[in-house]
Amino acid sequence: MSLARPGHTRKDPAPRRSGRKSATAKNATAKKTQRRTSYGHRTDLLESMLRVRRFEERCVELYSATKIRGFVHLYIGEEAVAVGVNEALTPEDAIVATYREHGHALARGITAEAVMAEMYGRTTGCSGGRGGSMHLFDASRRFYGGNAIVAGGLPLAAGLALADRMREQDRVTCCFFGDGAFAEGEFHETANLAALWGLPLLLVCENNLYAMGTALERHEAQTDLAMRAASYGMVAWAVDGMDVEAVEQAARRAAEAIRAGAGPHFLELRTYRFRAHSMYDPDRYRDKAEVERWKGQDPINRLLDRMREDGDPVDETLAGMERRIAAEVDHAVEAAEQAPEEPVEHLLHHVTSAPAEVS
């Protein structure tokens, strides 16, 4: 079968008219336009990842200064996952996250100010100061929170997806979870029901190789998680989770298929956290050389290098980008420190209901 287009087989091509661009010129113009669009989109991806990274780095400083208390699980190193996946979702789609969800929230569009205030436990936080680091929530953005329980968000995500399907809503529910969730029954129950009922559910496994301090090969006999997910009858594949463009492409492909009625999809995003499991964790279970090798795959640097190789003028905008993000984070910290704490009188608000009147 010939792959030549009909236009290439003409024996007497029409003469080129003056005042009109040639096909070659048109192609060149189209490529330039596409290049500008690609550059603009890449800068958006870069800025989103940098926002997550700089926010998290400030959280380290604030935690060390005891301004932030409790458990804090940092997302440093995994930024490409949250940013890439969010690019493939619409505002009408739903997100269910894990306790390592600062990056998910920021990528979703929850402001740094609202997230930081929640870290401080202030009333202006996205959860009113009651959730803290592990329970960010914003129903207006269909961000249905982090979850402190491993795999705890999966059944919730299945419920959201089922509700959308029953209401005939053209929506996708995206659920993030770690590789440790494979050891929990909630994952297998959710995967089975999602495939059985054809739910519009995007399951995103952030495989950072460690379930808290336990290496993947120490808690899973079969470490190909995408293959295991496929055994439930859903489309599943693995993706380089340190490449934000690869993540976005895979997430778009999956989301489009789900919207077309293809049922649940599973993405195993192979990534790595550069910090310990939490700020409390001494991180003695990983070899330092391993951490340094993965830092060589830093998703921010990989995108920067690719843009430079392609001739994108990224260095001309990078400094300004960093200044904007620094000012944004500074403002978030200042606002959080000035925000009020919830009064003790409100202790039982949203906990108990008012007594029912009996006639």
Side-chain angles (χ1 to χ4, degrees):
M1 179 179 67
S2 173
L3 297 179
R5 292 176 293 178
H8 287 182
T9 62
R10 289 182 61 181
K11 295 181 180 179
D12 300 306
R16 201 178 291 167
R17 295 182 183 179
S18 60
R20 296 184 64 182
K21 290 184 178 180
S22 67
T24 302
K26 287 181 180 179
N27 289 337
T29 301
K31 287 181 179 179
K32 287 181 180 179
T33 302
Q34 185 179 12
R35 179 67 164 277
R36 285 196 296 270
T37 302
S38 176
Y39 170 66
H41 184 60
R42 280 175 160 180
T43 56
D44 290 342
L45 295 174
L46 177 62
E47 186 161 359
S48 293
M49 289 196 293
L50 278 171
R51 178 175 292 105
V52 175
R53 179 69 60 88
R54 301 300 177 242
F55 183 92
E56 297 276 76
E57 290 171 345
R58 181 61 67 86
C59 286
V60 173
E61 297 174 8
L62 294 169
Y63 188 91
S64 300
T66 69
K67 296 290 185 70
I68 294 175
R69 308 304 298 270
F71 283 97
V72 174
H73 304 84
L74 299 171
Y75 204 66
I76 294 174
E78 300 185 22
E79 295 88 352
V81 173
V83 171
V85 171
N86 268 278
E87 285 294 322
L89 302 176
T90 71
E92 290 74 33
D93 295 331
I95 292 178
V96 179
T98 69
Y99 47 74
R100 196 184 306 280
E101 90 276 35
H102 311 154
H104 304 131
L106 293 170
R108 183 61 172 177
I110 301 177
T111 66
E113 183 176 340
V115 177
M116 188 62 77
E118 192 60 40
M119 302 288 283
Y120 269 73
R122 303 302 170 92
T123 57
T124 54
C126 58
S127 297
R130 292 197 164 206
S133 172
M134 292 192 285
H135 298 282
L136 306 178
F137 186 93
D138 188 340
S140 68
R141 297 183 184 274
R142 299 207 80 205
F143 187 85
Y144 294 112
N147 199 305
I149 306 302
V150 174
L154 282 155
L156 302 178
L160 288 166
L162 177 61
D164 284 339
R165 198 194 69 176
M166 294 176 70
R167 293 169 180 161
E168 298 183 349
Q169 299 280 356
D170 184 22
R171 293 170 168 175
V172 172
T173 296
C174 175
C175 185
F176 293 92
F177 53 95
D179 53 281
F182 268 78
E184 303 293 332
E186 290 91 339
F187 168 77
H188 301 283
E189 293 166 351
T190 299
N192 180 61
L193 286 178
L196 183 65
W197 294 341
L199 299 183
L201 183 61
L202 176 57
L203 298 171
V204 178
C205 177
E206 298 180 306
N207 181 7
N208 60 26
L209 304 181
Y210 289 90
M212 295 183 68
T214 305
L216 179 65
E217 62 270 14
R218 287 182 176 270
H219 69 84
E220 295 296 332
Q222 173 52 261
T223 58
D224 189 332
L225 303 184
M227 183 177 72
R228 292 184 63 192
S231 70
Y232 284 100
M234 69 179 75
V235 179
W237 70 97
V239 182
D240 182 355
M242 306 300 274
D243 183 339
V244 66
E245 292 182 299
V247 171
E248 180 186 359
Q249 182 181 18
R252 283 193 186 281
R253 173 183 161 193
E256 289 171 3
I258 293 169
R259 292 185 208 284
H265 279 54
F266 176 97
L267 296 179
E268 179 192 348
L269 302 184
R270 295 174 177 173
T271 184
Y272 198 83
R273 53 177 165 80
F274 296 164
R275 304 282 302 198
H277 169 69
S278 72
M279 288 296 294
Y280 278 113
D281 180 9
D283 201 12
R284 296 174 180 170
Y285 47 84
R286 300 190 300 186
D287 185 75
K288 291 182 179 179
E290 176 187 295
V291 178
E292 291 305 313
R293 284 197 303 272
W294 276 95
K295 284 183 177 180
Q297 297 296 317
D298 187 312
I300 295 175
N301 290 338
R302 283 183 68 176
L303 182 58
L304 278 170
D305 291 344
R306 185 177 299 155
M307 293 175 75
R308 288 167 181 146
E309 290 172 3
D310 290 346
D312 292 337
V314 62
D315 292 312
E316 299 175 13
T317 59
L318 184 58
M321 192 182 295
E322 289 277 21
R323 284 194 296 271
R324 286 196 305 275
I325 293 171
E328 184 180 335
V329 176
D330 286 344
H331 172 74
V333 173
E334 181 180 353
E337 293 187 343
Q338 294 177 357
E341 295 181 346
E342 189 173 21
V344 175
E345 293 76 20
H346 293 179
L347 182 65
L348 296 182
H349 284 195
H350 313 297
V351 177
T352 61
S353 61
E357 294 186 6
V358 179
S359 58

